Amino acid sequence: MAHADRQMTLPSAEDAPESLLIRRGEYPTNVVVGEGLLSRVTRFTGVEERPFVVADEITGPLFGEFLEGKRALFTLPRGEEGKSMENLSKIYAALAAAGVDRSGTLLALGGGVVGDTAGFAAATWMRGVRLIHCPTTLLAQVDSAIGGKTGVNLQEGKNLVGAFHPAEWVFSDVECLRSQSDDDFRQGAAEAVKYGAGEEWAFFGWLEENARAVLRRSLPVLRTLVAECSRMKLDVVAEDEHEHTGARARLNLGHTVGHALEAASGYRWRHGDGVGAGMMVVGRLALRLGELREEEFERLGRLLDGFKIPRRPDMPWDEIAPFLARDKKFSGGAPRLVVPRSGGRCRLRSDIPLAALREAYEEELSGAR
Ligand SMILES: NC(=O)c1ccc[n+]([C@@H]2O[C@H](COP(=O)([O-])OP(=O)(O)OC[C@H]3O[C@@H](n4cnc5c(N)ncnc54)[C@H](O)[C@@H]3O)[C@@H](O)[C@H]2O)c1
Ligand SMILES: [Zn+2]
């Protein structure tokens, strides 16, 4: 079984130990989880050359000053619009103006939008320069900063242009998460639930025990949460670096229905919320297939409730169905579905008829009324 090569706890000045997860291999990645990390990036990486920083309108002013020795700071507009070809061109122009060459380093300071855009700039500038991620949202810390996927959106669709370009270092400073809005924070919590229900039920149990402290944003609890999710993401990615073997598809638990809800609602449904509802639908399906026990299905619902993740779909099947078919996760006429399993890891299946998904969806939907 693939696993993070090494996991250790380091002493630090503030008596708040950091977790360091190291994965060697084709693309070595070091993930550091802790507090007060932003001012110590150079000490960890040993890279003397000052990084070119990309942030957004929110994260630049909030956290930019904590980063020591920047070469330049480029500010993206906040939100999904930031992830555009137009802004990418502006980053290239700023890189040229700052004289960043092959030996340069890009540092992404922000959520998934900044990480994906700056990551793609790093993948392509001079055919690829070093990348450091400093993710500042829970979603970016537990998910998007690890695994090497970078890219931008086109008018024609999201994430249509991109490249694999893993960061050499990921610094997940959990103190940053304190300033996130509850709505934004919840989107990351849904991904954490996904690791529990899809990868390790022991972690699911830990989440149940610590849900309140997570919501309170207790820093020691967030450190454990982010370190555990990072470990699981590193492991899954190690099994399937370039998304060829199907292992990485496990991370899409709840995403087929989730993406359809997002798109069909014109993005009224947010990503993590959609994943929550999507997990309930495939959870219900797994229950019918005898893959999940009633008790586990109920625990899933309770944990989502605890995180205030709206776990029931609110749109008729006919409205979301066209968006399911547009999703890449279809093979032949049947959806490729990630189905949770009792006490174990979820599994990717292509043998479940769409009608069965519809029934499970409608059962969840009717519960909302
Ligand atoms: N590359 C991957 O593997 C991968 C995986 C999942 C999602 N994504 C992408 O990630 C993006 C979503 O990421 P996100 O949820 O982090 O959104 P985001 O980057 O848009 O951040 C959400 C909002 O929070 C603000 N913000 C960021 N950090 C903050 C902080 N510490 N305090 C207060 N406000 C803060 C941002 O300015 C923004 O307005 C999507 O574009 C999605 O496609 C990528
Ligand atoms: Zn997701």
Side-chain angles (χ1 to χ4, degrees), residues 56 58 78 80 83 111-113 116 136-137 144 149 176 179:
D56 73 14
I58 307 287
R78 66 179 292 188
E80 198 63 34
K83 238 172 101 169
V113 162
D116 281 9
T136 62
T137 65
S144 64
K149 285 192 188 175
C176 296
S179 52

Side-chain angles (χ1 to χ4, degrees), residues 139 143 187 191 194 251-253 255 259 262 271-272 275:
L139 184 128
D143 193 355
Q187 309 310 313
E191 300 285 359
K194 173 194 79 178
L251 298 172
N252 285 327
L253 179 65
H255 281 60
H259 282 150
E262 280 184 83
H271 181 75
V275 169

Side-chain angles (χ1 to χ4, degrees), residues 163-185:
F164 283 104
H165 192 68
E168 280 185 22
W169 288 87
V170 178
F171 293 97
S172 290
D173 188 330
V174 293
E175 273 182 317
C176 296
L177 308 181
R178 284 248 161 123
S179 52
Q180 271 200 282
S181 70
D182 288 344
D183 275 1
D184 284 352
F185 184 80

Side-chain angles (χ1 to χ4, degrees), residues 81-104:
E81 314 80 75
K83 238 172 101 169
S84 68
M85 292 294 283
E86 193 191 350
N87 287 321
L88 185 66
S89 299
K90 291 181 184 162
I91 294 177
Y92 292 144
L95 284 162
V100 177
D101 63 17
R102 277 287 299 136
S103 66

